[in-house]
Amino acid sequence: MNIGASGAAASMGVAYGAGAISNARYALVICAMGILGGAVTGGGEVVKTISSGIVPQHIMSINIVLIILVSATSSLFLANIIGIPLSTSEVTVGAVVGVGVAYQILYVDSLMIIMMFWVLVPVTALLFTWLLGKGLYALQKKGYCFEYKWIAYILIIAGFFEAFSAGMNNVANAIGPLVGAGLLSVSKGIWVGGVFVALGTVLLGKQVLETNGKKITQFTKMEGILISTTGATLVLVSSLYGLPIPLTQVTSSSIIGIGMAKNGREILQKQIVKKIVKIWIVSPLISLSISYFLVKLIIDSDVYSIIVPLSVIVSTIAGISLMKSIHEERRSVHEDGGGI
């Protein structure tokens, strides 16, 4: 349900933000339908990666699965409260990696490939939408108009397509560990996961819908089509290859790309953009630390090793606080007209 609120709900934020759907509840219901369809139709490959592609399947006991899910859910829940579109793939993989580090058993090559695509796919989305946006604005300057009535319907379809790709990719983050432990089959798991992710979208997704749809930048319906289609295509292709891709990063990067094409680099200075980037970086580290901490505390009863993840968490929080303080101080000096 947290996945539905955080990752999948963001996929319909573009259609909502561009005004193709004015009612947030309708947007979330359409999103939920797309998620369930994507999970059932093509979610199996990413399930295999999460269940056995990062750590050996034999260590996936019931206790370990509970630790992974608690670690990932804690990070997602905190992000949902403050309305940040967090990557469910990153926090889930981070939690699985934390278990692998605790047991000193990790498929490093597979992990490196996944992390490489975590960077490449959002960057590709940003650059692609930036180029498409530049082309769109060039045509508009020449007198071409794209604001027809049917544009809104195309945007809604594009949003549904993006939600469909979210179902293919993100549902695996919830049920992959359960499949790895042998508690669910892949076919049953994608149905159970799809239903609850869709339910979470409807019940918990409004805050993230508002963030992605209206707080980063304003865009037209044609811009929205470019954003949703780009994100959906990249995530769908990644899903076919079993890669757990951060959908929210892809969507948010596409929105930023359009904003850069329209307004230049000033969009990168927005506080909401900086906030999203910080949490993208921190979230997998937090879920990794939590899962490592729980393995050492509950399963190994190794209190000494708990110092490591605790220090990581404390250092991360302290670093964020310090960066925030420095930024506020500089802004205060700038507003006062002073200098250093």
Side-chain angles (χ1 to χ4, degrees):
M1 290 179 69
N2 272 285
I3 288 173
S6 179
S11 64
M12 193 56 71
V14 178
Y16 176 67
I21 303 177
S22 57
N23 189 298
R25 184 62 58 191
Y26 293 160
L28 293 173
V29 169
I30 293 171
C31 182
M33 293 168 60
I35 289 161
L36 183 58
V40 173
T41 304
E45 290 303 314
V46 184
V47 170
K48 295 175 185 176
T49 300
I50 297 293
S51 62
S52 59
I54 301 172
V55 296
Q57 192 167 353
H58 68 80
I59 71 170
M60 286 288 197
S61 65
I62 295 176
N63 290 339
I64 290 297
V65 168
L66 283 173
I67 285 173
I68 291 170
L69 294 179
V70 166
S71 302
T73 303
S74 301
S75 302
L76 289 172
F77 183 70
L78 291 173
N80 291 338
I81 289 176
I82 58 178
I84 290 295
L86 189 63
S87 166
T88 59
S89 297
E90 287 192 356
V91 297
T92 305
V93 171
V96 175
V97 170
V99 170
V101 172
Y103 280 100
Q104 298 182 7
I105 304 174
L106 194 63
Y107 296 146
V108 177
D109 291 345
S110 298
L111 180 62
M112 289 298 103
I113 291 173
I114 292 171
M115 292 178 65
M116 179 181 69
F117 278 93
W118 280 357
V119 176
L120 288 178
V121 175
V123 169
T124 300
L126 188 151
L127 293 176
F128 195 63
T129 50
W130 176 74
L131 289 172
L132 290 175
K134 285 290 187 181
L136 174 65
Y137 303 138
L139 290 173
Q140 288 177 339
K141 287 180 180 179
K142 293 181 179 180
Y144 289 92
C145 178
F146 297 98
E147 294 302 310
Y148 300 108
K149 289 184 178 180
W150 49 265
I151 288 289
Y153 296 106
I154 294 178
L155 177 53
I156 294 172
I157 293 171
F160 180 86
F161 178 40
E162 190 170 9
F164 186 90
S165 70
M168 291 181 66
N169 203 280
N170 284 358
V171 170
N173 296 315
I175 56 98
L178 297 171
V179 172
L183 300 175
L184 287 173
S185 64
V186 174
S187 58
K188 185 177 180 180
I190 57 179
W191 271 102
V192 172
V195 167
F196 279 98
V197 172
L199 188 61
T201 299
V202 175
L203 297 179
L204 306 172
K206 190 174 186 299
Q207 191 78 356
V208 178
L209 188 76
E210 293 285 348
T211 296
N212 252 37
K214 296 185 177 181
K215 293 184 180 180
I216 299 179
T217 186
Q218 297 296 313
F219 33 73
T220 65
K221 295 179 179 65
M222 192 62 200
E223 292 168 349
I225 291 173
L226 298 181
I227 292 167
S228 287
T229 304
T230 299
T233 302
L234 290 171
V235 173
L236 189 145
V237 171
S238 300
S239 301
L240 294 176
Y241 287 95
L243 292 168
I245 291 298
L247 171 68
T248 48
Q249 271 90 324
V250 176
T251 304
S252 299
S253 296
S254 298
I255 294 172
I256 293 170
I258 286 290
M260 288 177 62
K262 183 191 298 186
N263 302 316
R265 295 184 179 180
E266 64 184 48
I267 190 175
L268 298 177
Q269 301 302 316
K270 281 196 170 188
Q271 286 304 307
I272 186 65
V273 174
K274 293 180 179 180
K275 189 177 182 182
I276 289 172
V277 171
K278 288 176 185 177
I279 294 182
W280 282 354
I281 296 171
V282 170
S283 57
L285 296 177
I286 291 178
S287 61
L288 185 157
S289 300
I290 293 173
S291 63
Y292 180 92
F293 170 87
L294 292 175
V295 168
K296 290 297 181 181
L297 179 64
I298 297 173
I299 297 178
D300 293 350
S301 299
D302 184 358
V303 179
Y304 177 78
S305 297
I306 294 173
I307 297 174
V308 177
L310 282 179
S311 64
V312 171
I313 295 173
V314 171
S315 299
T316 301
I317 295 173
I320 293 174
S321 301
L322 180 61
M323 290 172 64
K324 184 177 180 181
S325 299
I326 292 173
H327 174 75
E328 290 178 350
E329 183 178 344
R330 288 178 176 175
R331 185 172 58 181
S332 176
V333 171
H334 176 73
E335 290 173 352
D336 294 339
I340 298 177

